[in-house]
Amino acid sequence: MKEDFFKYQAPTTPFAPGLEIERASGNYIIDTHGNKYLDMVAGVSALPLGHCHPEVVNAIKDQVDRYMHVMVYGEYAQQPAVDLCKLLASTMPAPLDMTYLVNSGTEAIEASIKLAKTVTQRSEIIAMKNCYHGNTLGSLSLMDYEERKAPFRPLLPDIKHIQFNCLPDLKRITNKTAAVVMETIQGGAGFIMPDKRWFQALRETCTKMGALLILDEIQPGVGRTGTMWHFEQHDIVPDVIVSGKGLAGGLPIGSLTASSEHLNHFKTSPMLGHITTFGGNPVIASAALATLQVILREGYMERVKMMELRFRESLLSKHIVQVRGTGLMLAAILPDATHTAAIVDRCREKGVIFFLLLFEKRAIRITPPYTVTMDEIDHACNILKQTIAEFYGS
């Protein structure tokens, strides 16, 4: 299989390990050779309940037996999507009462940019330095990493960048700004946390200037930081919330939630302001509904906070200079970037899966399922610390 994988499936890097997957269950992945791997990445935060959670699988199977696709988004009322949007509204503060379901986080970012321009009748979008919102052309336009953008220019015009957590930079938000787009925790930059005072000042500035505040909760959302949405911890209300990754428990999804006043613009300004064939797909919506119901019912967000404390205790090492992030969105920062990829590879050979971050090359990603146990945390951290010591010395 690996030979065909490299021959027929388009690559993204020259370094893919090509792990040959047989099955996955709970917090473990099993390859075709019978090797078992403890998953500390959860599909890059896409599997909050681990692999093949029974309630999610049953919801998918039940819906498949009824119907899988009947019409493009927004034409027919389909119970799974209706129930999902209603449940999402119950997790949001007013006036965030309506959700548009799409196929991925990056598509939701694209749609949110369109929504901001339609609502405000402005074109300028402000994003953060070192941000990452996806790889489609609009989302890529928000990035300030020229090495990744240059081959694809021209991109969207009227994009400006400000520094995350920098109060003076808020002066660059003006009455020409349609929206400010930001991750509630900067992911690719190294799991950088927002300063609460700065976050609140950003909200106040956007309100004063009539600009929408669009929050990217694609990675921190759906309970990963100990609350359903990370912005809740900062006592603000955004204009648009973008979600994805873990929302459907392992199936592809994206969503943008805003007020009905704002989202009704897609109906008339112009009509079909955003359209999608498979957004709101009933099978995926059923998976997402089951995922949210389990997280809310079983108290996983409180558990996430306890698991974070165990990780921080278990990661104490002279070679780990910092543990960034919160909840189960953590990054172990090494002294330098020399051995990061090799350490991740060696840990995988020892049966524990960690991963890298996009921009912060010293970081080892730790984003396990919420179902991870204390013993699994201790085991994974011991493997990681032993491996780091092999490269940096005991």
Side-chain angles (χ1 to χ4, degrees), residues 101-155:
L101 297 171
V102 292
N103 304 288
S104 65
T106 192
E107 185 190 334
I109 290 291
E110 298 274 347
S112 71
I113 293 171
K114 293 166 67 179
L115 182 64
K117 291 185 175 185
T118 302
V119 168
T120 65
Q121 295 296 294
R122 303 172 183 174
S123 63
E124 180 182 273
I125 304 293
I126 291 180
M128 301 294 144
K129 294 177 181 177
N130 298 316
C131 70
Y132 180 78
H133 298 286
N135 247 350
T136 49
L137 285 176
S139 299
L140 186 65
S141 300
L142 300 178
M143 190 186 295
D144 71 328
Y145 189 13
E146 189 59 27
E147 181 182 337
R148 295 185 66 86
K149 293 169 63 173
F152 310 111
R153 290 192 177 278
L155 299 172

Side-chain angles (χ1 to χ4, degrees), residues 67-264:
Y67 61 93
M68 291 189 288
H69 176 72
V70 291
M71 178 54 69
V72 297
Y73 180 87
E75 294 294 328
Y76 293 173
Q78 301 176 60
Q79 199 70 56
V82 171
D83 289 347
L84 173 59
C85 292
K86 185 176 180 180
L87 183 56
L88 281 169
S90 75
T91 71
M92 304 277 188
L96 306 176
D97 60 356
M98 183 176 279
T99 294
Y100 199 119
L101 297 171
V102 292
N103 304 288
S104 65
T106 192
E107 185 190 334
I109 290 291
E110 298 274 347
S112 71
I113 293 171
K114 293 166 67 179
L115 182 64
K117 291 185 175 185
T118 302
V119 168
T120 65
Q121 295 296 294
R122 303 172 183 174
S123 63
E124 180 182 273
I125 304 293
I126 291 180
M128 301 294 144
K129 294 177 181 177
N130 298 316
C131 70
Y132 180 78
H133 298 286
N135 247 350
T136 49
L137 285 176
S139 299
L140 186 65
S141 300
L142 300 178
M143 190 186 295
D144 71 328
Y145 189 13
E146 189 59 27
E147 181 182 337
R148 295 185 66 86
K149 293 169 63 173
F152 310 111
R153 290 192 177 278
L155 299 172
L156 286 184
D158 294 339
I159 305 291
K160 293 182 179 179
H161 295 95
I162 63 175
Q163 187 69 44
F164 198 75
N165 285 335
C166 178
L167 280 168
D169 273 12
L170 298 184
K171 295 177 182 178
R172 301 191 64 193
I173 304 168
T174 71
N175 57 13
K176 296 181 180 180
T177 305
V180 176
V181 186
M182 64 164 278
E183 303 156 272
T184 54
I185 298 175
Q186 285 202 300
F191 291 7
I192 307 299
M193 301 285 290
D195 176 85
K196 186 171 184 175
R197 294 168 298 174
W198 173 81
F199 209 168
Q200 292 176 342
L202 171 63
R203 170 69 278 182
E204 293 168 5
T205 303
C206 287
T207 301
K208 179 180 178 181
M209 294 300 171
L212 300 192
L213 177 58
I214 299 170
L215 296 186
D216 180 339
E217 290 261 10
I218 294 168
Q219 192 165 185
V222 197
R224 184 155 289 279
T225 68
T227 50
M228 181 56 69
W229 310 105
H230 185 66
F231 75 83
E232 298 175 56
Q233 300 176 29
H234 298 275
D235 301 325
I236 64 150
V237 178
D239 297 293
V240 181
I241 290 293
V242 174
S243 183
K245 283 195 182 293
L247 182 58
L251 294 186
I253 193 170
S255 70
L256 57 152
T257 302
S259 67
S260 53
E261 178 185 359
H262 284 160
L263 276 169
N264 275 325

Side-chain angles (χ1 to χ4, degrees), residues 338-353:
T338 308
H339 305 296
T340 316
I343 289 169
V344 168
D345 288 343
R346 184 72 185 111
C347 285
R348 186 178 62 253
E349 292 170 3
K350 296 178 180 180
V352 181
I353 295 176

Side-chain angles (χ1 to χ4, degrees), residues 24-28 39 42 46-54 56 224 249-250 300 368-372:
S25 178
N27 302 329
Y28 292 88
D39 188 358
L47 297 156
L49 299 176
H51 298 273
C52 297
H53 188 280
V56 177
R224 184 155 289 279
Y300 273 112
Y370 309 166
T371 50
V372 67

Side-chain angles (χ1 to χ4, degrees), residues 10 25 37 61-62 88 107 131 144 156 190 268-269 285 287 298 336 344 360 363-364 369 375 377 379 390:
S25 178
Y37 303 87
K61 289 179 176 178
D62 289 346
L88 281 169
E107 185 190 334
C131 70
D144 71 328
L156 286 184
T268 58
S269 305
E298 300 297 331
D336 54 57
V344 168
E360 175 53 89
I364 293 176
D375 287 345
I377 290 172
H379 173 67
E390 291 173 13

